[in-house]
Amino acid sequence: MVSRVIPVESFDLVIFGGTGDLARRKILPGLYRRYLAGQMTEDSRIIGAARADLTEEAFRAQVGAAIEQFVPKARQDTAVIAEFLARISYVSIDAKGTGGWEALRAKMRPDVVRAFYFSVAPSLFGELAERLHRHSIADARARIVVEKPFGRDLASAKALNAVLASHFSEGQIYRIDHYLGKETVQNLMAVRFANILFEPLWKSEYIDHVQITVAETVGVEGRGAYYDKSGAMRDMVQNHMMQLLCLIAMEPPYHFDPDAVRDEKLKVIRALQPIAPGDIVRGQYLAGGGEGGYLEHCEDPGSRTESYIAMKVAIANWRWQGTPFYLRTGKKLRARTSEIAITFKQPPHSIFDDAEGWKENVLVIRLQPNEGMELMMMIKEPGPGGMRLMQVPLDMAFADALGVEADDVPDAYERLIMDVIRGNQTLFMRGDEVEAAWAWTDPIIQGWEGRGERPQGYDAGSTGPDDALMLMHRDGRRWREIKG
């Protein structure tokens, strides 16, 4: 099945931090793939902006090298790459000074969408926003894309929102969370709201519990200084996992409209209950496999920052009262996997004698690897000898079901950048949504900091701290196995 590709409007996209790691790994290769797919108009242009003193030819060479490294070989077309590079230019710019801004303004064209990607440290967001207006570079149709972290607590998030709002309207600000651009995450909304099959069962009366897992095999090597100021709670739970929880728990919006969807997500965040200390487990990975532990890679040898967190979350509304949501995420775990598992309750009465072999129905949404969905169901075990039951999966990997290669599925950044050009904010976070998430998160962090708690050590390559198992066992439940 070949997906329909609809070209976007002509645009000028400026990537501040155009020589940085994110631009090299994700943004520029993703834009090339969208050009290859025919989604960019012939006159659309990409302008790199950074402090480095580079010629346009040197920057194009960097972009070409990034495409060669991060785009699958089967998608590298020499002629198309040359065409794509011809649409790229570069400006050396001083984010805090005056250098380069008039040169950037001279490159901007009238009557096309102007988008500005802030692929820089959040401390520069205000400087960039102010200078875009001072030099008359941003017009009324301009859009800015800002990367997380959106603050590190409620106060800083409010301050950041205020700075951006002093120069751009909320409708011009695109707070990007790449998890929302994943194909499976969007399919979660399609499964819920385009099919009648699950929606009548999507409530506490039928769902026993929900597990959301984001497990990584990598540690914090090379990012220790940054990560030690955030930890798993700020780096993953407050944004990525919060968004997944919202999509699972939200009420049906009246329309697939940016504010309608985000209004319903906001209601979920505001309904989250405070978490008791006994419902949180924090961990920090130890040295193992010839590699150093967390403390060897951060600047503070006595750091109490968590590289793992598990928690039991309750939502206080009619739909979810009594149904717990279990969240866990960590580094240096057994396998790299991200999934949402919705476990349904058992039937109130079994007519079969083989009750001991009974297992619940589970709907599993896999975000990575092998994006897809799996529904675990009970059937009769083949063969004679009575009605013996067994659990089997109805498995749909998107690549197989849709007849596409894994390399053909757009990366999250590709989709989200094109949504910026379209002016579609559905998959981007709104300012009040960010602030509500921090309002729930801050007391949790302040609680363990006030108690002076240290994270529990766990072995690299394991499934996390032992107490995380007990978090489930005491409720008569078990975590799903972490496997890639």
Side-chain angles (χ1 to χ4, degrees), residues 37-106:
Q39 202 164 10
M40 288 170 53
T41 59
E42 290 293 322
D43 64 337
S44 291
R45 299 188 310 173
I46 300 160
I47 303 165
R51 292 192 65 180
D53 186 14
L54 294 175
T55 64
E56 292 195 340
E57 290 74 17
F59 181 65
R60 289 188 185 116
Q62 287 188 9
V63 177
I67 293 171
E68 183 177 357
Q69 182 176 358
F70 295 107
V71 174
K73 296 296 182 185
R75 300 292 176 266
Q76 295 184 26
D77 183 304
T78 303
V80 176
I81 291 174
E83 292 176 8
F84 176 72
L85 294 179
R87 285 154 180 78
I88 288 179
S89 59
Y90 180 80
V91 174
S92 178
I93 206 158
D94 182 359
K96 294 185 176 183
T98 59
W101 289 99
E102 288 304 312
L104 178 60
R105 185 168 69 89

Side-chain angles (χ1 to χ4, degrees), residues 74 108 139-140 152 163 195 197 210 229 288 302 306 383 388 421 457 476:
M108 307 305 292
D139 58 17
R152 70 182 312 274
V163 167
N195 302 283
L197 178 64
V210 177
K229 294 179 174 63
E306 75 284 353
R388 296 187 304 274
I421 305 303

